[in-house]
Amino acid sequence: MHNSATCPDPTCSPCLDLSRQESVARLELVLLDAEIASPSGEYVDSQVMVDWLDVRNVLDLLRGV
């Protein structure tokens, strides 16, 4: 069975897919936190951390990469 935690290949397709799915989940949590805490759209400080890789992964998914 493939293990993404120990895979040495940074271009491994299953690992990239898993990373993208995790990024989407983190971004969804941030958006849900913001929606619940501030329905009027004000700035919300979230406990969920999102980094540049999460944003890039989601953009890659949107572009169909």
Side-chain angles (χ1 to χ4, degrees), residues 39-61:
S40 62
E42 300 158 359
Y43 175 79
V44 175
D45 184 25
S46 176
Q47 298 298 317
V48 179
M49 299 300 296
V50 177
D51 64 11
W52 66 270
L53 185 58
D54 292 329
V55 174
R56 190 187 79 190
N57 281 338
V58 171
L59 291 174
D60 285 348
L61 286 171

Side-chain angles (χ1 to χ4, degrees), residues 13-62:
S13 183
C15 293
L16 289 175
D17 289 342
L18 178 63
S19 177
R20 289 175 178 145
Q21 290 170 1
E22 290 172 348
S23 294
V24 169
R26 279 191 291 276
L27 288 168
E28 284 178 337
L29 289 174
V30 168
L31 292 173
L32 286 173
D33 282 350
E35 184 179 354
I36 290 168
S38 181
S40 62
E42 300 158 359
Y43 175 79
V44 175
D45 184 25
S46 176
Q47 298 298 317
V48 179
M49 299 300 296
V50 177
D51 64 11
W52 66 270
L53 185 58
D54 292 329
V55 174
R56 190 187 79 190
N57 281 338
V58 171
L59 291 174
D60 285 348
L61 286 171
L62 289 171

Side-chain angles (χ1 to χ4, degrees), residues 4-16:
S4 295
T6 59
C7 181
D9 182 7
T11 62
C12 171
S13 183
C15 293
L16 289 175

